[in-house]
Amino acid sequence: MTGFLVAKLLKGVDLRLLGSGNIGARNAGRVLGPSGFVLTLAGDILKAAAVVWAAIQFGYPPHIQLLGFLAVILGHLYPVFLKFHGGKGVASFIGGLVVFHLPSAILVGAAFLLFYAIKRSLTVAGLFAFSLAPFFYWLIERQWKETLILLPISLLVVYVQKEDIIERIKLPE
């Protein structure tokens, strides 16, 4: 877990006990400053990107590339070494999607910008856009097997942020 390791190396602290308690880039930035944010973000992006890239380089078919991507996301969200309490998977999702299927990643980015312009919430805009990744992939490639593997990847990243989503979309009373 990048954030956990960065916090230990930079300041000798356990990121799970500080700030929001999350080991992702946002909390690393709050607790450790800009360098903690950048290092954690880069590490989380690169770990998923590297797995998908390696699968491509070794000639594995797209569904196997996606299973590797899914394994990275599951490991990020539920790391065994941290008692299954991990990050939220946003950076890893972005890294893996960019390498797996850049056109879908670009469409997700465009959807994010549109949703952000409407809602003015990074979290809500990002999660709505992430949930569209399987749809964009299917529109371009028309491959059901890969789309059905990409679906739980994107939904897992959205699901683990359910409290944030509920908090941000509450209507005024």
Side-chain angles (χ1 to χ4, degrees):
M1 297 308 306
T2 309
F4 180 79
L5 295 173
V6 167
K8 284 289 185 188
L9 292 171
L10 288 184
K11 298 223 176 162
V13 297
D14 185 342
L15 199 54
R16 298 171 297 174
L17 304 176
L18 302 168
S20 69
N22 189 279
I23 58 172
R26 185 184 291 178
N27 194 42
R30 275 190 218 114
V31 173
L32 307 170
S35 61
F37 174 80
V38 169
L39 289 170
T40 301
L41 182 69
D44 287 348
I45 288 171
L46 289 173
K47 70 182 168 189
V51 167
V52 175
W53 179 85
I56 292 168
Q57 296 308 307
F58 285 115
Y60 289 108
H63 70 279
I64 300 297
Q65 297 165 26
L66 281 169
L67 290 174
F69 185 14
L70 176 60
V72 171
I73 294 296
L74 286 170
H76 182 85
L77 300 177
Y78 308 107
V80 174
F81 297 111
L82 297 179
K83 299 180 182 174
F84 304 100
H85 179 73
K88 293 190 177 179
V90 171
S92 295
F93 180 80
I94 292 167
L97 186 62
V98 164
V99 175
F100 175 70
H101 197 252
L102 184 59
S104 293
I106 291 169
L107 289 173
V108 166
F112 167 79
L113 293 174
L114 175 65
F115 290 134
Y116 182 74
I118 294 167
K119 189 65 180 161
R120 294 287 183 214
S121 167
L122 293 172
T123 301
V124 172
L127 297 177
F128 277 130
F130 291 171
S131 67
L132 292 174
F135 173 72
F136 292 144
Y137 179 79
W138 183 82
L139 278 178
I140 296 166
E141 299 296 335
R142 303 283 191 206
Q143 297 296 318
W144 282 107
K145 184 185 334 181
E146 289 84 12
T147 301
L148 291 174
I149 299 170
L150 189 55
L151 186 62
I153 296 170
S154 65
L155 293 180
L156 273 168
V157 174
V158 172
Y159 173 76
V160 297
Q161 299 190 58
K162 60 189 173 299
E163 290 87 15
D164 289 346
I165 296 167
I166 291 166
E167 182 178 310
R168 284 174 173 75
I169 60 174
K170 281 184 183 173
L171 297 173
E173 295 181 17

